[in-house]
Amino acid sequence: MKFNGFVLILFLSVFIQSCIEKELDFDSIKTQKWNSEWALPLINSTLTLSDLLTDTTGIIQEDEDGLITLVYESEELISINADEIVEIPDQEDFVNESFDLPSLPPGISGQIPVLFSFPFELSEPGLRIDSAILKTGMYSFTVRTDINKNVAIVDFTIPNIINTTTNDTLKFTFDLSYQQGINEIVRDTIIDLSNYTLVFGNTLGQTNKLYINALITFESDNNPNNSPYYISLENELKDMEFSRFFGYVGNQVIEMQDTVNLNIFSINEEGFFSFGEGSVNFQMDILNSFGLPVMLDVITFRAYHGGSDPDSIDIYIFGEGNPSLIELNYPNLNQVGENVLTQVNTENSNIHEALEISPGKIFIDIDGHLNPDEDSTLTNFVLDTSGIKVDISLELELFGAVNGFKIADTVDFHLNDIEDIKSLLFVVDVANGFPVNAIIQLNFVDSVYNVVHSLLPPEEQLMIAAPVSSPPEYRVLCPAEKITNIVLNDEELRAISEAKKIIINATLSTTNGQLVKIYSDYNIILKLGAKVGISL
Amino acid sequence: MISRIKPIKRVCLLILIGLIFLIIVNNRLHAQVSRSVYFLEHLPESGILNPAFSPPYNFYVNLPIISTFYIGFESPFSFDQLTQKWETGDSLYIDRETVLNALKDNNYFSFEIYNELGRAGFRAGRNYFHLSIAKVFSTKFSFEKDIVELFLYGNGSEQFLGKPIHFDKTGLNMTSYHEFALGYSIRINEKVTVGTHLKYLNGRFNIWTEKAEFKMFTDDQSTYAITASSDINIHTSSTISNFDDLIYQVENYKWLNLSGNHGFGCNLGVEYEPTSMFKLSASVVDIGWIKWKENIKNFKSANPNVDYTFEGFDINDFVSEGSFTDTLDILDTIAECFGLEKNYEPYTSHLNPKVYIGGLWNLNKSNQLGLLIRTDFVEQTIKPSFTVNYTHKFGDVLTVYANYSILNRNYANIGLGFAVKLGPVQFYALNDMAYALLKPREARNYNFHFGMSFVFGTPKEFGKSEKMDSNEGGKNDGE
């Protein structure tokens, strides 16, 4: 009986053990939402002007005092390639001459000269080649004759084609000895013209004519004299490109266009940037290596302001009412291969007026007239590297006043998985080293641009302008610090989670329209921390 | 005689099946240390806690698998303290206030397994010799209340924002070793017995957090800049590549596949019996160390206690040549500042010594009162615990006991257990926290200890108390 009690205890123990797993049912523990708060520093950055402006490569310059100048330059105002202005077309000519052989006793030699000529055609009437040093070109030459002498040769000399290196005239010889049963003798050759110069002795009425001199040498024999004999030439010159061209290219028009983006204004919505006196430098320098008269005609030179309130204004280089015609300097025969500069005086331009609309871009369209006077007696020269490059630069010294200069940008926004975030506090600590106030607003909008939440109170001044010293330095005395708390509650977070985009608006202004200068050592120390309430 | 043996065999079989089942079930239950065995001197395993104790038999042997197995778990809070019931439904939730209220400044979880391959002993006159082989697995994760509070409330809460946080009591100490013990006790006279266990330890696995200090300060005056420093020194010796099935991996270390991590330990004990009514005893166990030499990886702070202040990311670091970059210098800096250097130097870890002081009062032949004070020396802290015991003997066959313990700042520890002797077969199932079995949701500590021995022979001349028991039991063992 004693053991019955023991067994009972044992089985009770076993039973209890098996119950424990049920009792300690960890699977039945569900999540209880409790709020914990986590404070994290997010951003600690020192931002300079180059960090604040996008795509600033090469546009920021500073003088010895550190005053910043933004330099915008044209990049595409370059003429088309020279070989498109002057082209040497392919030539294809067939010429035929007849000649008589004197009757001589067998064994006696004789010579008969034959002269050929044909025009070297150019693409347009009135053009003229005095000479052209070729860098490519092929000359296919074929001769046919019915001469029937057992010993005969022909020497060809082409005085218009001269070896560029040796200065020798192009010459070549064919054997025309008769072979029984063959009535027509055909000989041909192909000559690479890449080291030859075309030279034309142009005189009045004799323009661009190619001469070929043939000298037939034979030995009299017993074959019958079938005079007159014929000799014909097939000439094909093709793929000729020059490295240098002298002559007359005629009156042509070349077009040049470019758009200069002034990205400092590109996202401006309204307001203006008033530049201080002497802070805008507008330059127009033109390099020309065409050895011929050129007149540039500025067809369009216009500043555009985009955004919600578009505007534009024409820029007059020499002042309103004066034609924008620019006669270019050009190299003379002693300056072959050199660029000759033409500096345009823009003192009377209305560029200041154009900048007042905060143009995001400036469009330029220029026609270049070659030989505008159509004087065909002139000797032009063109190299395969010749061209016209118009350099327009706009240097904006950051000295001026800003008034309600509003910039805006829209960025995509996508926020999800924030169900556990119940509150959010951003602490923005800005030590502004720039003398510019900033009112910033971030509007969260849905897919149809309805504002679902505005992050900051209206007119919240996130950055206070740093005070500046007196003229002429206008230098910041000390940074202005401001700490702003931005609180988002649960409801606001839910609203933000519905947003698809953020419209960022920032309105910049100098205090009371004061003139300021922006130096390279200015910066903004931006610190951002967040306290996140998370429901776990 | 035959008819009597058969029921006994059936009972033994049932009990054996029950015990095996308990092993399986108890893989999910945990306990501390079986203090109860201290009061059951007739069990050979009582010598684990006091080497002066020797069983009242001439010879005993514990067989593998059914030798001695102990498992214990301690927690700073109970399941009920961790969870609350929703007002609607049966689901539970974790209530942070309740959890924090349950925690003290410093807390720990502990988990221990003592698993013997075998044990044997014999008496030679006044001398008793013992031999045992065991696997010991012990882990203790210490943590501070503040670290839990930080997790639950966050560094942006009023508890922590603008206030320094300092953690230096958090760490993991986990070790597994094989213990080869040679025990000896001698009855000096009728009143005094002394004993010792000399142990060779062979380390298999160790993680020792020698130092894990971390300081943090979240500035409330600015944009929440965080200043932090750390000083960490963690030693490991392990062939384990991951922590999945850790217990399984540890338990599957082969018994005699020894490592080069050698150590030695010693237990000392004394028993004093001024009269047959009273008995006093004391012991010091687990004095020793292991020199870890194999598969060492030590992790030490590269810049101990060097403050680093993180004020946020630099926007410019995100953008490189107009495009976003995925590598941030700041992360490299943080990694460099708080990074750990690795080395492979051998190190020595010490066992956590324990001191037992006990007393027994034999009220009569069947009833006994006992008192035990156990003191654990863990790192630099002392953790005392107290146990009061009542034991009742039903003849020579069944001994049951109940005890009450105060341990790990927990006052609801009622222990129940029994030991049965059926002929030469002696088995027992002990527990210091039976309440945990009855009310597991309210318990913070769990343990279970069982084993089986084969005992033979009663000494011809033994102490007075044994004589008294022997006379009253009216039977000799091993018959």
Side-chain angles (χ1 to χ4, degrees), chain A residues 17 21, chain B residues 20-30 69 71 111 113 247 251:
Chain A
Q17 299 294 320
E21 284 199 45
Chain B
I20 292 169
F21 186 72
L22 281 173
I23 295 172
I24 298 166
V25 172
N26 269 305
N27 283 336
R28 293 283 300 273
L29 293 175
H30 314 290
F69 185 84
I71 188 168
F111 179 59
I113 296 174
I247 302 300
E251 278 297 298

Side-chain angles (χ1 to χ4, degrees), chain B residues 235-283:
Chain B
H235 307 276
T236 69
S237 170
S238 168
T239 55
I240 293 174
S241 55
N242 61 64
F243 282 81
D244 294 339
D245 299 324
L246 177 64
I247 302 300
Y248 176 81
Q249 293 185 64
V250 169
E251 278 297 298
N252 275 278
Y253 279 133
K254 289 186 169 50
W255 282 98
L256 297 175
N257 185 11
L258 301 181
S259 72
N261 305 316
H262 305 299
F264 300 95
C266 176
N267 299 348
L268 299 171
V270 61
E271 185 180 40
Y272 175 61
E273 190 175 359
T275 70
S276 61
M277 295 286 286
F278 297 100
K279 190 183 287 185
L280 300 174
S281 61
S283 65

Side-chain angles (χ1 to χ4, degrees), chain A residues 268-458:
Chain A
N268 171 245
E269 289 282 308
E270 57 187 63
F272 63 89
F273 196 113
S274 175
F275 286 92
E277 189 176 347
S279 60
V280 177
N281 181 19
F282 172 44
Q283 284 188 321
M284 195 168 182
D285 295 336
I286 303 157
L287 291 172
N288 175 29
S289 57
F290 283 117
L292 51 93
V294 180
M295 177 72 78
L296 296 188
D297 184 4
V298 181
I299 306 299
T300 307
F301 195 3
R302 187 171 294 153
Y304 290 92
H305 172 80
S308 58
D309 185 21
D311 196 3
S312 68
I313 188 167
D314 285 325
I315 300 170
Y316 304 103
I317 297 172
F318 304 113
E320 189 169 4
N322 296 316
S324 296
L325 295 173
I326 305 164
E327 186 177 344
L328 299 189
N329 300 325
Y330 61 97
N332 58 37
L333 288 170
N334 296 322
Q335 295 172 306
V336 174
E338 295 179 14
N339 282 303
V340 174
L341 175 66
T342 303
Q343 286 186 307
V344 180
N345 184 346
T346 60
E347 287 181 359
N348 295 323
S349 77
N350 62 335
I351 190 72
H352 276 85
E353 187 185 349
L355 289 174
E356 286 179 4
I357 67 167
S358 300
K361 56 186 173 184
I362 295 175
F363 176 71
I364 309 142
D365 182 8
I366 299 174
D367 281 353
H369 296 270
L370 310 183
N371 292 311
D373 297 332
E374 301 184 39
D375 182 359
S376 61
T377 62
L378 291 175
T379 297
N380 303 158
F381 64 84
V382 176
L383 277 61
D384 58 349
T385 56
S386 292
I388 297 169
K389 185 171 188 296
V390 181
D391 288 329
I392 294 176
S393 77
L394 185 60
E395 297 178 3
L396 306 177
E397 209 172 70
L398 293 186
F399 166 46
V402 186
N403 191 355
F405 189 84
K406 185 177 178 182
I407 56 178
D409 199 2
T410 303
V411 295
D412 290 334
F413 177 74
H414 189 60
L415 185 67
N416 54 13
D417 296 331
I418 61 162
E419 290 78 13
D420 294 333
I421 299 178
K422 298 302 176 189
S423 65
L424 196 55
L425 165 66
F426 287 113
V427 180
V428 186
D429 183 352
V430 180
N432 184 13
F434 287 84
V436 179
N437 298 293
I439 296 172
I440 295 174
Q441 181 60 278
L442 274 68
N443 287 316
F444 295 84
V445 298
D446 60 17
S447 55
V448 290
Y449 289 87
N450 292 320
V451 176
V452 295
H453 183 69
S454 296
L455 190 64
L456 293 157

Side-chain angles (χ1 to χ4, degrees), chain A residues 176-194:
Chain A
L176 300 179
S177 298
Y178 176 68
Q179 291 178 303
Q180 285 292 332
I182 299 175
N183 295 327
E184 184 182 65
I185 299 168
V186 181
R187 300 287 184 267
D188 59 41
T189 186
I190 296 176
I191 300 157
D192 181 358
L193 297 176
S194 62

